[in-house]
């Protein structure tokens, strides 16, 4: 159940668990949002949120989760492509992280 998992991961992440912060980031990430094991119709999440994904990946990195860095890098690449296509949200996120 993604909603319950989100709450548990978020709580653990806020207590310093980097793996959990990465898991929350994955739930928001546009690259994994439509993954086979995550069905938006069955959860409170209605669409991906790259801004929140970036925040959670950065938190995971700060907490020592080395596996979050490649996910953050992939998200930055995704945002660069979207920004080049005129996506204003992607442009704003990139201004903050680059």
């Amino acid at each position: 159940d993604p909603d319950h998992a989100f709450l548990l991961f978020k709580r653990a992440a806020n207590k310093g668990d980097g793996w959990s912060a990465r898991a929350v980031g994955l739930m928001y990430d546009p690259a994994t949002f439509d993954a086979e094991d995550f069905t938006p119709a069955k959860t409170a999440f209605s669409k991906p949120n790259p801004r929140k994904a970036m925040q959670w990946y950065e938190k995971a990195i700060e907490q020592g989760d080395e596996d979050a860095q490649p996910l953050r890098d992939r998200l930055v690449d995704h945002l660069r492509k979207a920004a080049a296509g005129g996506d204003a949200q992607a442009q704003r996120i990139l201004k903050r992280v680059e």
Side-chain angles (χ1 to χ4, degrees), residues 3-75:
D3 289 321
H4 287 106
F6 172 78
L7 293 174
L8 293 172
F9 290 145
K10 186 176 176 182
R11 186 174 195 176
N14 285 329
K15 290 185 176 191
D17 185 67
W19 185 94
S20 295
R22 176 171 36 103
V24 173
L26 284 166
M27 295 179 89
Y28 284 116
D29 193 324
T32 54
F33 189 81
D34 288 327
E36 193 173 297
D37 60 342
F38 182 72
T39 308
K42 296 181 180 177
T43 180
F45 295 96
S46 61
K47 62 183 180 178
N49 188 324
R51 181 184 59 81
K52 287 186 179 183
M54 182 66 68
Q55 290 171 340
W56 285 103
Y57 287 153
E58 289 178 347
K59 184 173 189 133
I61 293 164
E62 289 171 12
Q63 293 173 337
D65 183 10
E66 296 174 8
D67 292 332
Q69 186 66 53
L71 297 172
R72 183 196 179 279
D73 295 343
R74 182 190 66 201
L75 180 57

